[in-house]
Amino acid sequence: WRSMADDLQYLPIADAIEARLKNVDKYFKKTSQLNVYFICLVLDPNYKLAYVEGQWDFKDVADGRAHLE
């Protein structure tokens, strides 16, 4: 969706795409702020801590690790 918003082909609806992306980001942030979300990702053998460290901000990872411990 992010690449679509920057693509000239989708220029006529780029504002709508951006608005929806903001909405998705809002709810994604709410989910990622839950301690249980971090713990589930780290304990999932498909993701583990390496995934979180590669995708999340350093502060968020440190907070999650503190709650996990």
Side-chain angles (χ1 to χ4, degrees):
W1 286 98
R2 292 204 188 283
S3 63
M4 285 175 57
D6 296 333
D7 190 330
L8 293 177
Q9 175 182 351
Y10 300 104
L11 188 61
I13 60 169
D15 290 338
I17 293 171
E18 286 294 334
R20 295 308 138 224
L21 283 170
K22 285 182 185 179
N23 199 27
V24 168
D25 286 342
K26 172 184 154 184
Y27 287 102
F28 181 77
K29 274 209 175 280
K30 286 180 185 258
T31 302
S32 66
Q33 290 171 349
L34 299 174
N35 297 328
V36 71
Y37 182 67
F38 177 88
I39 292 168
C40 287
L41 282 176
V42 171
L43 296 178
D44 186 326
N46 295 310
Y47 293 104
K48 299 191 179 186
L49 187 57
Y51 169 79
V52 177
E53 290 175 335
Q55 301 296 319
W56 290 23
D57 293 332
F58 177 78
K59 183 188 177 307
D60 293 335
V61 173
D63 290 344
R65 287 184 78 147
H67 286 100
L68 177 63
E69 293 170 1

